[in-house]
Amino acid sequence: MQPKSSSARSPQAELLADATALHAAVSDLVRIYQFRDRDKICCYDISVTQCYALEALAGRGPMRSQALAELLLLDKSTTTRVVDALERKGYVERRADAADARALSLQITRKGRTLYETINRELIAQQAEIVAGFDREACAMATEVIRRLARAAEARFVSGISVGDCAPGTGCSPRRRD
């Protein structure tokens, strides 16, 4: 039996190296997509966050403001500003909630759905260009990995796990993304 060479890394060191590489790759991807989305979506006179709200309402149907805030991981006041802007532009309307007439429900308008579908169609066309050179299995595997990373990141966010000054035990409440 030969002793381990000094170049062999421990499982912990390998995990940290993999995590470092993953962090760099995800950071690059998120940064690029944020700029791409901002540049593509904002040319339609809505913000990326407003587009996320339209997407939620288009995909899930009418919902109360609190449900939208939770879905988008926004605080109530930010959600109100997002919805107010969308309502002023005619993309969303507030209606009496079907389950409770005292409450208001948010609903995407025909104009809002048309806008969302236009933006979504353009973004999907860009994705088609990106994955055109991938074989279907590699594309499916990449999609699954990204979905799993998103679910894990959301679970950590929702549970309040953070870094830096908002780390557990510091007494700081994590900020929600705006």
Side-chain angles (χ1 to χ4, degrees):
M1 185 180 240
Q2 297 201 346
K4 286 185 178 179
S5 73
S6 61
S7 64
R9 294 192 304 188
S10 71
Q12 183 64 24
E14 289 179 359
L15 176 63
L16 286 175
D18 290 345
T20 300
L22 176 63
H23 174 73
V26 169
S27 292
D28 287 346
L29 181 66
V30 167
R31 180 180 42 76
I32 291 164
Y33 268 71
Q34 284 176 333
F35 287 120
R36 176 208 70 168
D37 288 353
R38 185 194 67 212
D39 292 345
K40 177 58 77 179
I41 294 167
C42 294
C43 73
Y44 287 100
D45 193 33
I46 65 170
S47 70
V48 173
T49 304
Q50 290 168 355
C51 189
Y52 289 150
L54 288 179
E55 179 179 48
L57 293 168
R60 296 182 184 223
M63 66 181 75
R64 293 182 187 177
S65 185
Q66 183 62 37
L68 181 62
E70 289 172 8
L71 187 64
L72 298 179
L73 304 174
L74 297 172
D75 61 41
K76 189 176 177 181
S77 64
T78 302
T79 302
T80 298
R81 286 191 304 275
V82 166
V83 171
D84 286 349
L86 290 171
E87 188 177 38
R88 275 192 308 276
K89 295 173 185 180
Y91 300 134
V92 168
E93 60 189 8
R94 291 175 168 99
R95 291 187 170 178
D97 188 80
D100 181 354
R102 297 170 297 169
L104 291 176
S105 188
L106 307 172
Q107 183 170 334
I108 192 168
T109 63
R110 183 177 307 206
K111 181 179 174 183
R113 184 171 300 280
T114 299
L115 175 65
Y116 168 71
E117 289 172 354
T118 299
I119 293 169
N120 197 47
R121 196 172 31 256
E122 289 180 16
L123 293 174
I124 289 173
Q126 287 181 0
Q127 294 296 73
E129 291 173 18
I130 291 169
V131 300
F134 290 49
D135 67 50
R136 295 205 64 211
E137 186 177 328
C139 188
M141 287 174 33
T143 300
E144 178 58 23
V145 167
I146 292 169
R147 282 186 181 133
R148 290 175 65 185
L149 288 169
R151 283 192 304 264
E154 182 178 24
R156 289 180 62 85
F157 183 86
V158 169
S159 70
I161 296 173
S162 188
V163 296
D165 292 339
C166 287
T170 63
C172 172
S173 351
R175 288 187 39 212
R176 296 175 87 80
R177 70 179 169 96
D178 293 335

